[in-house]
Amino acid sequence: MRILTAHAFYATVGGEDISHRTEVQYLKDRGHEVVDFTRQNSELQCQHPLIQAAATISNRDIYAAAKRVIIEFRPEVAYINNTFPALSPAVVSCLKDFQIPVIRVLRNYRFGCLSGNLFRQGEVCTDCIGRTPLKGVIHGCYRGSAPASLIAGFTQHRMASIDKRSVGYFIAVSNYVKSVAIQSGMPEDRIVTRPNLYLRRSNAVRKQISMRSNRIAFVGRATPEKGLDDLIRAFLQLVQWNSNLVLAVIGPARGAIDHPNIEYLGQIDHQQVTRELSHADCAVVPSLWPEPFGRVVIEALGEGTPVVVSSIGGLAELAGPGVLAYRPGSVGDLVEKINSSISLPRELAFREALARFDADFSAENWYETTMGVISDATSNI
């Protein structure tokens, strides 16, 4: 099948970017013809603010570029990830004009929240869901700027309007995202829930089990909503009981506290991230915001590493074998859950994590669901 994929990459590489690359490559590996139509959001930062604003709301250059690709490639279906801001609503408009079936993946809350994360001033915020983004503009929720938020609000309104008319099916990465999308006015009967894709290593993971030793892994940024400070406070209690315990902080993150048992590894490539996760006794996702899914969870499970997550948003749905959930913001509960996780016999924890991954997050499950949606989208055109 000829599939046109599209994505606007973030200035700082994150889970959405990794998910897009993984899915594009996997579709190619399964024998599909794939053309990937992408732009870098960082390119807009070099332009004049007024030009940025106009391009974000409706981009003629993107429409023209998408038109050329469609005419040359003749896609049977379009699979769209993030389009904000570099691709603008223009790419979906162009696909609609050429009557190409469109599937959009919902990996953030940009469809109803200017910041995209339902988080403001240290708390979960849903003030704009199902309403105009007036409060988001007043609070400057997009990049801390009221003018920029006003432009983002116009773009959000235009994108939502185009999506409702032009997108055949939406794929939400969790039931929580689906519920927020429905509250935002998206048609419930056209939203399918499907987790992200992670391709676990079949042989290498078993070799790593003997290398695990007293390590806890955190992957993410040091922004307040990621909850790193809570994790560090919990770790400082745990290290009093086990002086050999090490916290590996992976990504462009640095907590407020330095400690000889805390390793700030910085931004490392994805293979190194995978290696760190495979070596850890457990991974922790202590988010204070309602994560749409939590890609780190399936990456860790796929490497045979159990996970502790905050019970919020899409993360709450992942609780079960291999994944312990704690009350968001409760350092005491976090300490208890981490201690329970790292106290499990390593072989048992390893087998439980892999079994959970294979049961719920395998590539075959992802492919079957995705192709089912594509089949429905193309048959209804």
Side-chain angles (χ1 to χ4, degrees):
M1 176 171 278
R2 295 186 305 278
I3 304 173
L4 176 64
T5 57
H7 181 62
F9 285 94
Y10 293 89
T12 300
V13 176
E16 290 186 53
D17 299 323
I18 295 170
S19 290
H20 176 76
R21 289 195 181 104
T22 302
E23 291 172 355
V24 168
Q25 187 57 54
Y26 188 65
L27 288 170
K28 290 179 179 179
D29 292 344
R30 295 296 299 240
H32 299 283
E33 294 181 63
V34 181
V35 167
D36 197 20
F37 184 71
T38 66
R39 291 294 185 273
Q40 299 288 335
N41 284 339
S42 57
E43 295 172 1
L44 291 180
Q45 297 174 356
C46 304
Q47 299 178 353
H48 188 279
L50 291 178
I51 297 176
Q52 284 186 39
T56 297
I57 296 172
S58 182
N59 193 319
R60 292 182 179 179
D61 291 339
I62 291 296
Y63 186 98
K67 180 179 178 179
R68 288 193 296 271
V69 171
I70 291 169
I71 291 173
E72 180 178 345
F73 181 53
R74 296 179 295 111
E76 297 171 76
V77 67
Y79 182 86
I80 310 298
N81 279 292
N82 178 57
T83 57
F84 183 84
L87 288 179
S88 83
V91 65
V92 176
S93 291
C94 187
L95 289 162
K96 175 65 173 177
D97 290 345
F98 279 86
Q99 297 184 321
I100 307 298
V102 178
I103 297 165
R104 180 187 278 280
V105 185
L106 304 176
R107 301 189 201 274
N108 59 48
Y109 307 107
R110 190 76 65 186
F111 53 80
C113 172
L114 296 185
S115 66
N117 62 8
L118 300 183
F119 195 79
R120 180 171 61 83
Q121 296 180 343
E123 296 181 353
V124 175
C125 174
T126 57
D127 286 349
C128 297
I129 299 300
R131 307 178 184 89
T132 61
L134 178 60
K135 288 189 177 181
V137 173
I138 293 172
H139 292 293
C141 288
Y142 181 66
R143 295 189 174 181
S145 164
S149 296
L150 181 62
I151 294 167
F154 278 121
T155 304
Q156 180 191 93
H157 175 75
R158 177 172 167 76
M159 188 176 297
S161 177
I162 291 172
D163 280 358
K164 288 173 187 176
R165 297 194 312 268
S166 308
V167 175
Y169 285 92
F170 299 88
I171 296 178
V173 294
S174 66
N175 287 322
Y176 185 84
V177 172
K178 179 178 180 178
S179 69
V180 176
I182 292 169
Q183 292 174 53
S184 298
M186 291 187 181
E188 182 175 1
D189 61 339
R190 285 157 49 198
I191 306 176
V192 176
T193 302
R194 184 217 63 196
N196 285 326
L197 172 67
Y198 177 67
L199 303 175
R200 79 170 177 86
R201 301 174 298 165
S202 58
N203 296 322
V205 69
R206 178 154 292 282
K207 297 177 183 178
Q208 304 297 336
I209 189 168
S210 62
M211 300 176 63
R212 300 181 183 212
S213 179
N214 291 312
R215 291 180 74 81
I216 298 170
F218 167 90
V219 182
R221 303 181 303 276
T223 48
E225 70 271 16
K226 288 295 185 179
L228 177 58
D229 288 344
D230 281 353
L231 174 56
I232 290 176
R233 284 193 286 270
F235 176 77
L236 293 179
Q237 294 185 38
L238 290 163
V239 81
Q240 292 179 14
W241 307 330
N242 181 357
S243 60
N244 294 319
L245 203 60
V246 172
L247 173 61
V249 179
I250 305 160
R254 191 170 189 89
I257 297 174
D258 284 322
H259 189 279
N261 290 50
I262 300 178
E263 297 179 1
Y264 293 103
L265 302 180
Q267 190 81 45
I268 56 180
D269 66 44
H270 195 244
Q271 284 188 336
Q272 290 176 292
V273 173
T274 300
R275 188 158 51 248
E276 284 293 331
L277 287 173
S278 70
H279 291 174
D281 287 337
C282 83
V284 182
V285 185
S287 297
L288 301 175
W289 72 293
E291 295 258 11
F293 179 72
R295 181 178 177 83
V296 173
V297 177
I298 59 170
E299 291 183 349
L301 291 175
E303 297 302 318
T305 299
V307 191
V308 175
V309 302
S310 58
S311 184
I312 189 171
L315 291 174
E317 299 170 30
L318 301 177
V323 182
L324 295 178
Y326 75 97
R327 296 188 303 278
S330 173
V331 174
D333 196 22
L334 177 55
V335 169
E336 180 182 329
K337 294 304 191 299
I338 293 176
N339 191 50
S340 295
S341 182
I342 63 178
S343 296
L344 285 173
R346 289 180 184 173
E347 180 68 24
L348 174 62
F350 176 83
R351 291 183 182 279
E352 188 176 71
L354 283 187
R356 174 69 188 285
F357 180 89
D358 290 338
D360 295 344
F361 308 112
S362 71
E364 282 300 324
N365 288 348
W366 181 93
Y367 186 71
E368 181 179 345
T369 302
T370 302
M371 294 311 297
V373 176
I374 288 176
S375 176
D376 289 343
T378 53
S379 63
N380 291 336
I381 191 68

